[in-house]
């Protein structure tokens, strides 16, 4: 067996070659799901990030766990972003990789990282596309609904401002919740996941859904252009956003190219926004040109060892800041209040501002590094 640094590199190269070969042979037949599972299995996840607050919740016969990251000085009830990891990630590794904690500290919200049963999520794609025969997902719909309720009951979350985001398998799960339980979360964001083709017939949100998509054009795991298999298919990233725009009754879209703040990363970003939607439920697609199966970041993160092999990572924008900037513009209506005394006017529900001001009162700018 090879020894020393050269031996490690040679062994790693052999393993990567094997994975690359599987990526080619499984691209259509495995719905690209096997690739991240194999890659992440090759490398251990990093240890839990400092400050983890691990808690448990019993849902039916399942005992589920989640991490709560509460920035210093932030007390509940506060806005909460629930973030769903990718397949075979842990909440700890996803937390270290995503960089959402930096956005939480800068903007005064609480980040929550649930754990999928078997480290996967039971999203709405056909079972064969999710490798259900190999991995047993849990009752994740009930878990996420119960988690939102518990965060409110514990005084952690403002019930009008609970948001849901996720990457890859977690992003597919976000869309299932948007389709089936739209009133639970105020807004949604999806990173490196498109929409299952069956959603065109099966997705019927109970209200217009504000939703953000972030996707790389060079993603070889969940391809930007969508893919077809004998057991199911996914839409392209533009068609995924377009589906929710249609469901929201949006009038049209406009596109612009964002500043290339880091030319060295080999990627650029364009933004397409659908507006004129019912109830102001905007749909946005951030396209990372040449971007791989990676969330963009402008803050210091601690990636899994596998992530360098998942394509280019954009540094013009920051995923944590982008999902917060988009989602924080929305809040659920307040629940119906008791009849007001005669001569008083019922309070109207408030909608959150589109961007939180900084300490000087100026709006925060897109793409500002907090390093």
């Amino acid at each position: 067996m090879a020894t020393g640094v050269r031996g490690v590199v040679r062994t790693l190269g052999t393993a990567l070659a094997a994975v690359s070969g599987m990526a080619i042979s499984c691209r259509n037949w495995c719905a690209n799901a096997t690739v991240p599972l194999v890659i992440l299995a090759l490398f251990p996840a990093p240890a839990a990030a400092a400050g983890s607050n691990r808690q448990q919740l019993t849902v039916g016969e399942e005992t589920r766990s989640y991490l709560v990251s509460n920035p210093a000085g932030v007390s509940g009830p506060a806005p909460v972003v629930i973030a769903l990891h990718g397949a075979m990630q842990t909440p700890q590794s996803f937390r270290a990789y995503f960089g959402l904690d930096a956005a939480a500290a800068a903007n005064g919200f609480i980040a929550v990282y649930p754990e999928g049963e078997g480290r996967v999520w039971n999203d709405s794609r056909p079972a064969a596309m999710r490798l259900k025969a190999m991995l047993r997902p849990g009752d994740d719909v009930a878990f996420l609904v119960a988690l939102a309720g518990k965060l409110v009951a514990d005084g952690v979350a403002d019930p009008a401002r609970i948001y849901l985001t996720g990457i890859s398998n977690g992003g597919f799960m976000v869309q299932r919740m948007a389709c089936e339980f739209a009133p639970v979360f105020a807004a949604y964001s999806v990173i490196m996941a498109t929409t299952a083709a069956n959603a065109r017939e099966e997705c019927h949100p109970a209200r217009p859904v504000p939703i953000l998509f972030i996707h790389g054009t060079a993603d070889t795991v969940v391809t930007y252009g969508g893919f077809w298999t004998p057991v199911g298919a996914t839409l392209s990233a533009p068609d995924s956003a377009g589906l929710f725009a249609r469901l929201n009754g949006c009038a049209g879209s406009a596109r612009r190219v964002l500043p290339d703040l880091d030319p060295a990363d080999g990627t650029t970003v364009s933004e397409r926004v659908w507006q004129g939607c019912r109830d102001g439920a905007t749909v946005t697609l951030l396209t990372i040109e040449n971007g791989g199966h990676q969330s963009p970041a402008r803050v210091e993160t601690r990636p899994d060892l596998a992530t360098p092999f998942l394509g280019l990572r954009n540094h013009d924008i920051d995923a944590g800041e982008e999902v917060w900037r988009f989602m924080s513009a929305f809040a659920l209506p307040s629940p119906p209040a008791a009849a007001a005394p005669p001569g008083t006017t019922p309070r109207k529900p408030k909608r959150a501002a589109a961007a939180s001001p900084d300490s000087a009162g100026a709006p925060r700018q897109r793409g500002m590094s907090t390093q």
Side-chain angles (χ1 to χ4, degrees):
M1 180 175 292
T3 59
V5 175
R6 291 185 180 180
V8 172
V9 171
R10 188 179 301 113
T11 302
L12 180 59
T14 302
L16 180 59
V19 172
S20 300
M22 182 170 291
I24 295 172
S25 64
C26 286
R27 182 165 297 156
N28 290 329
W29 291 90
C30 297
N32 290 1
T34 302
V35 179
L37 297 179
V38 174
I39 291 176
L40 290 172
L42 288 173
F43 305 104
S52 297
N53 180 8
R54 184 181 179 90
Q55 301 187 31
Q56 291 187 326
L57 171 63
T58 299
V59 182
E61 298 182 354
E62 297 176 350
T63 299
R64 307 297 296 266
S65 63
Y66 58 97
L67 299 178
V68 177
S69 176
N70 193 332
V74 177
S75 59
V80 168
V81 175
I82 298 176
L84 308 184
H85 59 75
M88 302 309 294
Q89 281 186 307
T90 65
Q92 295 92 337
S93 65
F94 179 46
R95 180 188 183 194
Y97 165 76
F98 192 11
L100 184 64
D101 282 7
N107 296 284
F109 66 87
I110 295 171
V112 176
Y113 304 90
E115 183 168 5
E117 189 80 2
R119 298 185 182 178
V120 292
W121 299 103
N122 193 4
D123 63 60
S124 59
R125 290 173 295 171
M129 296 181 71
R130 294 183 281 106
L131 303 180
K132 190 174 181 180
M134 297 172 57
L135 301 168
R136 186 189 73 80
D139 189 357
D140 294 320
V141 171
F143 170 42
L144 294 175
V145 172
L147 175 59
K150 187 173 189 300
L151 293 170
V152 172
D154 290 348
V156 174
D158 174 355
R161 304 191 67 193
I162 304 176
Y163 307 101
L164 189 64
T165 189
I167 189 169
S168 195
N169 176 212
F172 283 107
M173 188 66 204
V174 166
Q175 294 175 78
R176 178 176 182 182
M177 299 303 294
C179 292
E180 299 180 14
F181 284 87
V184 176
F185 304 98
Y188 302 78
S189 54
V190 177
I191 305 170
M192 305 308 160
T194 53
T195 304
N198 48 294
R200 290 176 296 190
E201 293 78 34
E202 299 173 3
C203 184
H204 304 288
R207 68 177 182 93
V209 174
I211 190 166
L212 165 70
F213 288 85
I214 303 176
H215 211 111
T217 61
D219 189 335
T220 59
V221 178
V222 180
T223 53
Y224 184 87
F227 51 84
W228 176 90
T229 76
V231 296
T234 63
L235 305 179
S236 69
D239 286 345
S240 299
L243 171 63
F244 282 94
R246 178 178 62 80
L247 293 170
N248 289 350
C250 301
S253 66
R255 181 181 178 275
R256 69 186 181 110
V257 177
L258 303 185
D260 188 8
L261 300 181
D262 188 355
D265 68 15
T267 67
T268 57
V269 184
S270 65
E271 179 185 62
R272 184 177 178 185
V273 180
W274 283 262
Q275 296 179 325
C277 315
R278 293 195 309 275
D279 298 344
T282 304
V283 177
T284 296
L285 170 63
L286 290 173
T287 295
I288 314 296
E289 300 291 342
N290 297 323
H293 194 65
Q294 301 242 39
S295 62
R298 285 186 60 78
V299 297
E300 184 177 354
T301 63
R302 189 153 55 94
D304 290 328
L305 291 176
T307 51
F309 308 113
L310 297 179
L312 298 179
R313 190 175 195 184
N314 175 267
H315 300 297
D316 298 325
I317 61 174
D318 183 80
E321 286 288 346
E322 291 300 325
V323 300
W324 174 250
R325 183 186 68 85
F326 176 86
M327 297 193 301
S328 63
F330 303 94
L332 293 174
S334 299
T344 63
T345 302
R347 181 174 60 88
K348 295 182 179 180
K350 296 181 179 180
R351 180 172 171 176
S356 301
D358 61 19
S359 57
R364 286 193 174 88
Q365 299 179 10
R366 172 197 298 277
M368 284 295 247
S369 175
T370 59
Q371 285 182 299

